[in-house]
Amino acid sequence: MSSYRNLALFLLLAAVWGSAFMAIKAGLSYFPPVLFAALRYDIAGVLMLGYAWWVVDDPIPRTRGEVALVTVGAVLLIAAYHALLFVGEADPAVTSGSAAVIVSLSPLLTTGFARLFLPEERLELLGVIGLLLGLAGAIVLANPDPSNLMGGGTVAKLLILAAAASFALGSVLTRWLDAEMPIESMEAWSMVGGAALMHLMSVGLGESVADVNLTPVAIASLAYLAIAASAIGFLIYFDLLERLGPIEINMVSYVAPVFAALSGWLFLQEGLTVATVGGFLLIVVGFGLLKRRAIAKELGLSEVSGRLNA
């Protein structure tokens, strides 16, 4: 039953984070990028801190390990990742397709960092092939223009790549630290600390509240990102990170474009092309290779194989 729970949460996370790209793009028309990200986590951090005080006996980090865990979360998973991503996506030369391709490198980057910090998380050959197929599927699904991908906005694209690397490293380090801390507390303090760091970055970049244009679209995008994509999304993420490990959970960046394409088809009347369907299939095959043992066990194939080899 836990495998079904994990799968359901994984798909929910992919759906929430996939649709968040649309909310980010919409909100960047009304907010300076780093200030937008900081305000997002001001709201999410307050919500999660209140939730942590409600459900956890002692939500305050006490030990050195807990402080280290919150620091990694605040610096790498929240502040660095979102500040770099929002600034990169604000560049008009960066298309949604090229940004999706770059962010989809996160599982490969996670695998590289895991080889350094978590030897037990290393993948076998079929798992690596699964990761590569998933990346290929994300690229096909994004359907980027090669000339545009390698064209303008080079600095912005490098910032998005740095964001993906920051998130990958943070995922591995939170597992490597192995500190015992409730997910709710870790998430809440990471968000509060990350928001504070982004406010400092925003001031350093010369951003101002006077540049904010609060329209219904701006408020809706901020609310969706703060509540659904941040508070609820990261609660699911850290829960699955503990259960699945950093490599498997970061496969969400491969599956998220599927939900982005489906939401575009359902709500924006964007067509599902052959490339879209092909990308879906590659992602499914890649995910199947990565989770082949769990799937075989669920279908009873491992028992059949064992009897045949007996």
Side-chain angles (χ1 to χ4, degrees), residues 162-222:
S166 174
F167 198 89
L169 178 59
S171 300
V172 171
L173 288 180
T174 53
R175 183 70 171 251
W176 177 69
L177 287 170
D178 196 28
E180 293 294 332
M181 186 176 188
I183 294 173
E184 298 84 357
S185 301
M186 188 270 184
E187 179 179 342
W189 290 110
S190 294
M191 287 181 174
V192 170
L197 289 173
M198 286 189 287
H199 275 295
L200 292 176
M201 295 180 203
S202 178
V203 172
L205 291 171
E207 296 180 349
S208 171
V209 178
D211 298 324
V212 175
N213 181 18
L214 280 183
T215 66
V217 172
I219 295 171
S221 63
L222 180 61

Side-chain angles (χ1 to χ4, degrees), residues 262-287:
L262 288 176
S263 62
W265 175 61
L266 289 171
F267 300 108
L268 302 177
Q269 289 75 52
E270 295 176 350
L272 288 176
T273 64
V274 174
T276 303
V277 176
F280 290 170
L281 293 176
L282 282 172
I283 290 171
V284 169
V285 173
F287 193 76

Side-chain angles (χ1 to χ4, degrees), residues 288 291-305:
K291 298 292 292 179
R292 62 193 184 280
R293 288 194 175 89
I295 294 172
K297 181 179 180 181
E298 187 64 31
L299 297 176
L301 297 179
S302 57
E303 296 179 4
V304 173
S305 176

